[in-house]
Amino acid sequence: MKLLIAIVQDKDANRLSNQFIDHDIRATRLSTTGGFLKSGNTTFMIGLEDDRVDEVLNMIKEASHTRQQFMTPPVNLDAQLDSTSSYPVEVQVGGATVFVMPVDQFHQF
């Protein structure tokens, strides 16, 4: 048995959640914040049998898209301001971060 912890962008979470439901995969959904942009993410915790891990990883990969987004870098008030410090820059966001961990015991009461 494995525990998957998948962190995806909020924009991809509903599509992925629906895929889990369609394929009878039970997942706990948590609202999380973090990363470079401190933007909204969704973390799924999924307990499943070893033989379904690749199936779920493929679902996550297909549903979690990378995209380009503009952001304004934070201003460092200690440093001198130059001409590029306040202009938005384009960064790549999205995709998924997935941890796969072994489960020694599983109990459901």
Side-chain angles (χ1 to χ4, degrees), residues 2-90:
K2 301 287 187 202
L3 172 65
L4 273 67
I5 299 176
I7 304 161
V8 301
Q9 233 186 2
D10 281 345
K11 292 179 181 178
D12 299 323
N14 284 336
R15 178 176 41 253
L16 186 56
S17 182
N18 289 334
Q19 284 185 353
F20 289 158
I21 292 167
D22 292 344
H23 290 89
D24 195 30
I25 295 168
R26 296 180 183 167
T28 298
R29 183 176 175 164
L30 306 168
S31 179
T32 55
T33 303
F36 178 66
L37 300 177
K38 297 186 177 23
S39 60
N41 295 315
T42 298
T43 300
F44 290 98
M45 295 191 323
I46 310 156
L48 64 149
E49 297 301 324
D50 291 357
D51 60 346
R52 295 198 73 188
V53 170
D54 288 336
E55 173 190 359
V56 173
L57 288 175
N58 285 332
M59 278 191 253
I60 294 169
K61 187 175 183 178
E62 290 174 11
S64 304
H65 301 285
T66 58
R67 54 186 67 83
Q68 298 298 113
Q69 180 175 323
F70 284 95
M71 59 122 3
T72 303
V75 176
N76 183 355
L77 298 177
D78 293 334
Q80 287 186 345
L81 296 176
D82 61 12
S83 61
T84 61
S85 63
S86 62
Y87 291 106
V89 293
E90 190 172 24

